[in-house]
Amino acid sequence: MKVLVTVKRVIDPYVKVRVKSDGTGVETANVKMAMNPFCEIAVEQAVRMKEAGIVTEIVAVSVGVPQCQETLRTAMAMGADRGILVETTAEVQPLGVAKLVKAIIDKEQPKLVIMGKQAIDDDSNQCGQMVSALLGWPQSAFTSAIAVNGDSADVTREIDGGLEKLTIKLPAVVTTDLRLNEPRYVTLPNIMKAKKKPLEVIKPEALGVDVAPRLKTLKVEEPPKRSAGVKVADVAELVAKLKNEARVI
């Protein structure tokens, strides 16, 4: 069974994000980048399924600037067999990414697509659902467990009320939640091996997809700084502050 996994290059989660002075976005120049944590979970799940003998090939796909090749090499160092980069310097929004991923899926014909549930930079949480809708495939979002049984998969989803267990037919789209697994550390020998694995670079035009933005960002600004906490003498003063200052009661 072939599995397609999507990976995104984002600002390292341990780096403090700074807003540009003109308010048009966040500063990415000379900032450490890394693979989106939810995408790491997706790659790890595919690799574990391959180690279990369920998966025969893992194809990692990314959309973005040429530096995304580094992210794909990381995915291949984790265990992906090859990578595909849809290279573009334009801002690609969730719908554009979903259309590009669909075009790759039409070409590769995987039986399962595993995606991170969201990216930590824009937090859109849309691509997996959009890919499923464009393909007309079953989907399992926020997945914390998956077991493939022939032409179907038993999945457990994280929902507001607890856990939901479903059986979906393959091919299908699955998006990963935090509790699905813990990604492995990439070893130096695997990093060296990943350099020799095939990586294909194509343009959106070659896939016949228009990635022009449909949304416009008006302004990006930092959240207001939290004020220092204060001590209150009694319950009456606490209630007064909650009512008159915080305005929550």
Side-chain angles (χ1 to χ4, degrees):
M1 180 176 77
K2 181 190 289 188
V3 171
L4 186 143
V5 182
T6 58
V7 295
K8 185 177 183 181
R9 180 176 182 264
V10 299
I11 295 176
D12 189 285
Y14 300 105
V15 171
K16 179 175 174 57
V17 177
R18 297 172 301 184
V19 176
K20 291 181 179 179
S21 58
D22 57 4
T24 57
V26 297
E27 190 62 61
T28 57
N30 300 317
V31 175
K32 184 181 179 183
M33 309 296 282
M35 186 189 299
N36 179 50
F38 290 103
C39 297
E40 287 185 332
I41 295 172
V43 175
E44 175 67 24
Q45 185 60 33
V47 173
R48 291 188 183 189
M49 293 170 70
K50 185 177 181 182
E51 291 171 343
I54 301 170
V55 171
T56 56
E57 185 182 21
I58 302 170
V59 182
V61 178
S62 188
V63 177
V65 295
Q67 291 86 341
C68 290
Q69 292 188 37
E70 300 171 8
T71 309
L72 287 169
R73 292 293 179 192
T74 301
M76 288 187 278
M78 291 177 68
D81 296 291
R82 55 191 175 92
I84 300 174
L85 171 61
V86 183
E87 185 180 301
T88 175
T89 56
E91 177 194 0
V92 186
Q93 295 173 349
L95 180 59
V97 173
K99 289 180 178 180
L100 291 170
V101 172
K102 176 189 179 295
I104 296 293
I105 292 170
D106 290 339
K107 177 183 175 183
E108 293 290 335
Q109 293 295 308
K111 200 168 183 180
L112 181 65
V113 178
I114 308 178
M115 309 175 69
K117 72 171 184 178
Q118 65 193 86
I120 62 170
D121 51 3
D122 57 18
D123 271 338
S124 292
N125 182 16
Q126 296 176 348
C127 283
Q129 294 88 328
M130 287 178 172
V131 170
S132 171
L134 291 170
L135 290 167
W137 287 7
Q139 66 168 311
S140 172
F142 318 117
T143 306
S144 59
I146 178 171
V148 175
N149 299 305
D151 291 332
S152 65
D154 298 324
V155 297
T156 301
R157 298 183 58 240
E158 302 271 351
I159 60 174
D160 291 340
L163 300 176
E164 180 183 42
K165 294 187 177 181
L166 300 171
T167 298
I168 57 176
K169 291 184 178 182
L170 300 180
V173 178
V174 171
T175 68
T176 62
D177 213 321
L178 281 173
R179 278 159 286 279
L180 181 58
N181 61 55
E182 184 174 342
R184 68 193 65 192
Y185 288 103
V186 180
T187 62
L188 182 58
N190 287 336
I191 292 174
M192 300 307 293
K193 291 177 184 177
K195 293 181 179 180
K196 298 180 180 179
K197 292 183 178 180
L199 196 161
E200 180 184 0
V201 179
I202 55 179
K203 299 290 185 180
E205 297 78 20
L207 298 171
V209 177
D210 178 17
V211 295
R214 266 69 173 178
L215 306 173
K216 181 180 180 181
T217 301
L218 300 180
K219 187 179 181 182
V220 177
E221 58 185 13
E222 293 186 7
K225 293 184 179 180
R226 296 178 62 181
S227 57
V230 296
K231 292 184 178 180
V232 295
D234 50 34
V235 175
E237 184 181 354
L238 172 62
V239 172
K241 284 185 176 294
L242 290 174
K243 183 177 181 180
N244 301 324
E245 296 181 19
R247 298 184 185 278
V248 294
I249 59 173

